[in-house]
Amino acid sequence: MKKLSLLLILALTLVSCNDDDGENIDFGFAEITGEDLPEYFELTEEYEINVTYELPDACHTFYGFTGSNFEDEDDETIYVYEIVANTSYNPNETECEEEDTDLSETKTLDEDFKLPAAFSYETVRFKFLTGVSSSNEAEFMTVDVPVGAPDDEDEDEDEDEDSGDDTDDDSSDESSN
């Protein structure tokens, strides 16, 4: 009987000590609403990448970016970066000062983003988490950035078309004379 009493007292003591008035922290995500990516990547260059996101409410604070990177399953010429803007918040906090709070913020994802010298992919696909659908599927804003400067051939074709137009204009001018 003494052992049972001792166990009950010990259990009550543990339960009363477990009543923690400290702050609970949970994590969520912010909707990514914008990005600042270059027109194309060159292997030898470094890039600063900025991301704009909107916090769910004033109780949330930015925690950091997380993500993963992998080769696209359907196209081996595409390398994918999935990016999530994480938030932290206290779920017990119900009143947050939202009146003067701007929930949209821009942070630097990477100050010196650089592709490896041996990078063999033609496209870098960024997938920024924007939310979750009603069927609990992740929704992304997708941005494809080509690797390497635009082809000079495209510029040459544009110049040829421009010079061809000039020739046609000149010949029509001559025939009207």
Side-chain angles (χ1 to χ4, degrees), residues 164-177:
D165 290 342
D166 292 342
T167 307
D168 290 342
D169 289 343
D170 291 341
S171 61
S172 62
D173 288 341
E174 289 173 16
S175 62
S176 61
N177 287 342

Side-chain angles (χ1 to χ4, degrees), residues 21-173:
D21 290 335
E23 207 173 277
N24 291 328
I25 301 294
D26 279 349
F27 298 94
F29 69 92
E31 175 187 352
I32 296 178
T33 58
E35 40 68 37
D36 181 22
L37 292 169
E39 204 173 303
Y40 59 89
F41 287 118
E42 293 210 34
L43 294 178
T44 58
E45 298 294 319
E46 289 185 355
Y47 301 90
E48 182 174 297
I49 298 175
N50 295 307
V51 175
T52 302
Y53 57 87
E54 186 156 335
L55 296 170
D57 57 43
C59 292
H60 288 248
T61 57
F62 179 74
Y63 185 74
F65 291 108
T66 58
S68 58
N69 49 320
F70 51 90
E71 183 177 286
D72 187 273
E73 294 174 359
D74 300 325
D75 188 344
E76 62 188 31
T77 66
I78 298 175
Y79 198 73
V80 179
Y81 286 90
E82 284 186 352
I83 309 296
V84 177
N86 298 295
T87 64
S88 62
Y89 65 98
N90 181 346
N92 297 326
E93 190 172 334
T94 57
E95 294 182 27
C96 302
E97 296 177 25
E98 200 164 323
E99 288 178 22
D100 296 330
T101 305
D102 185 10
L103 299 178
S104 181
E105 299 179 359
T106 299
K107 298 262 189 214
T108 301
L109 171 68
D110 197 338
E111 288 182 10
D112 53 358
F113 181 84
K114 185 176 183 179
L115 298 174
F119 195 80
S120 61
Y121 300 93
E122 296 174 9
T123 303
V124 178
R125 175 169 292 157
F126 287 88
K127 294 176 71 174
F128 298 100
L129 184 67
T130 59
V132 178
S133 72
S134 59
S135 60
N136 281 338
E137 300 276 331
E139 296 177 336
F140 295 92
M141 171 179 52
T142 302
V143 180
D144 287 350
V145 180
V147 176
D151 293 338
D152 289 334
E153 293 173 15
D154 291 339
E155 291 174 15
D156 291 342
E157 287 175 14
D158 291 341
E159 288 174 13
D160 289 343
E161 288 175 11
D162 289 342
S163 63
D165 290 342
D166 292 342
T167 307
D168 290 342
D169 289 343
D170 291 341
S171 61
S172 62
D173 288 341

